[in-house]
Amino acid sequence: MPALGVNIDHVATVRQARRTIEPDPVWAAVLAELGGADGITLHLREDRRHIQDRDLQVMRQTVQVKMNLEMAAEEEMTAIALNVKPHQVTLVPEKREEITTEGGLDVVAHAAKIKTCAEQLKAAGIEVSLFIDPDERQIETAKTLQVDAIELHTGRYADATNAQARDQEFDQLVTATHLGIDREMLVHMGHGLTYRNVSPIAEIDGVSELNIGHSIVARALMVGFEEAVREMKSLVTL
């Protein structure tokens, strides 16, 4: 049964649209815990488009479940992580012009930079995960970097427009999961997962964590945050 990490970034997106004080993502984190979340995920972007430094600091003091900080493998972000000390850091690609993360981190091309960042984090007792595409070369390179986990990008599965394409992407995720486990890394998944498509992913043997944000925040507008998390938790609990 995979753990459910709830990404609260887009609560902050609503707040930043007016640059005011509400809705507070810290409140959302509390309600997510009450709804059964096993972890809270937040992405501190270099341009601070949604989550702010204050959010990270306050949540580190108040969140009682696992805190997973998504960030770019850059010096500024590394220094912040070493100061805050979340339970886990997930290194992700980041482009200023993108609406949301568009694909996995290319660990083959950026192995040296990622290695430097990951070694500093691990030395501080922080678990390190890499957000990557379900690709053999990326997984094999991740293993050489001695990270704790990989998070497989599920965007192509989520965006598939027909059953055949969806099945192909699903099979690739299954194969990548087995490879990651064979290489003695934990396997997480995330991106584009919704109430409609998450159940098959949750049933993949060996997946230890799912990180889901936008769909939960969208559902919360209708039913409330605690209930939205509770409904998603029921879908990933086998």
Side-chain angles (χ1 to χ4, degrees):
M1 181 180 71
L4 174 61
V6 176
N7 188 315
I8 47 77
D9 289 351
H10 294 305
V11 176
T13 297
V14 176
R15 177 191 62 191
Q16 295 307 113
R18 292 289 296 270
R19 299 193 182 281
T20 182
I21 62 172
E22 60 182 8
D24 193 328
V26 177
W27 304 347
V30 172
L31 292 171
E33 286 191 43
L34 291 173
D38 302 294
I40 300 298
T41 294
L42 64 164
H43 184 174
L44 185 66
R45 285 181 173 265
E46 292 180 276
D47 63 6
R48 307 304 199 269
R49 70 175 64 172
H50 38 59
I51 294 297
Q52 306 297 300
D53 295 70
R54 168 265 180 194
D55 302 328
L56 177 59
Q57 294 285 348
V58 174
M59 272 188 268
R60 187 64 185 97
Q61 297 172 28
T62 56
V63 166
Q64 299 301 303
V65 292
K66 176 181 178 180
M67 175 182 278
N68 173 35
L69 172 62
E70 295 181 340
M71 66 178 217
E74 301 293 342
E75 290 185 8
E76 179 198 10
M77 295 296 115
T78 302
I80 291 171
L82 292 173
N83 177 58
V84 175
K85 290 186 170 61
H87 302 99
Q88 176 178 287
V89 163
T90 299
L91 297 178
V92 301
E94 190 172 305
K95 293 190 293 186
R96 295 292 175 94
E97 65 274 16
E98 66 187 2
I99 295 175
T100 185
T101 306
E102 295 176 345
L105 182 64
D106 189 345
V107 298
V108 176
H110 304 291
K113 176 192 283 190
I114 294 167
K115 184 175 187 292
T116 298
C117 177
E119 286 179 345
Q120 293 180 69
L121 296 170
K122 287 178 65 66
I126 301 169
E127 295 178 6
V128 178
S129 177
L130 304 180
F131 182 72
I132 62 175
D133 291 324
D135 174 82
E136 182 177 356
R137 289 184 67 216
Q138 299 295 333
I139 296 169
E140 295 288 7
T141 304
K143 173 60 178 177
T144 68
L145 299 176
Q146 300 181 336
V147 296
D148 303 286
I150 53 175
E151 179 172 341
L152 299 178
H153 176 242
T154 53
R156 291 200 300 267
Y157 163 82
D159 293 338
T161 57
N162 59 67
Q164 181 181 3
R166 184 169 55 252
D167 290 346
Q168 289 176 346
E169 296 299 337
F170 180 81
D171 290 344
Q172 190 168 357
L173 289 167
V174 172
T175 299
T177 298
H178 294 161
L179 180 58
I181 293 171
D182 286 345
R183 298 300 182 266
E184 300 182 327
M185 294 180 289
L186 296 173
V187 177
H188 307 160
M189 292 198 189
H191 197 83
L193 297 178
T194 71
Y195 294 85
R196 294 182 177 88
N197 65 24
V198 71
S199 293
I201 297 296
E203 292 173 358
I204 297 175
D205 187 35
V207 176
S208 61
E209 179 179 300
L210 301 178
N211 286 298
I212 305 173
H214 184 267
S215 187
I216 291 174
V217 173
R219 178 71 172 160
L221 292 174
M222 308 302 170
V223 303
F225 213 91
E226 183 178 346
E227 178 60 23
V229 172
R230 197 179 307 281
E231 290 176 7
M232 182 62 78
K233 179 71 172 178
S234 72
L235 293 173
V236 304
T237 302
L238 306 180

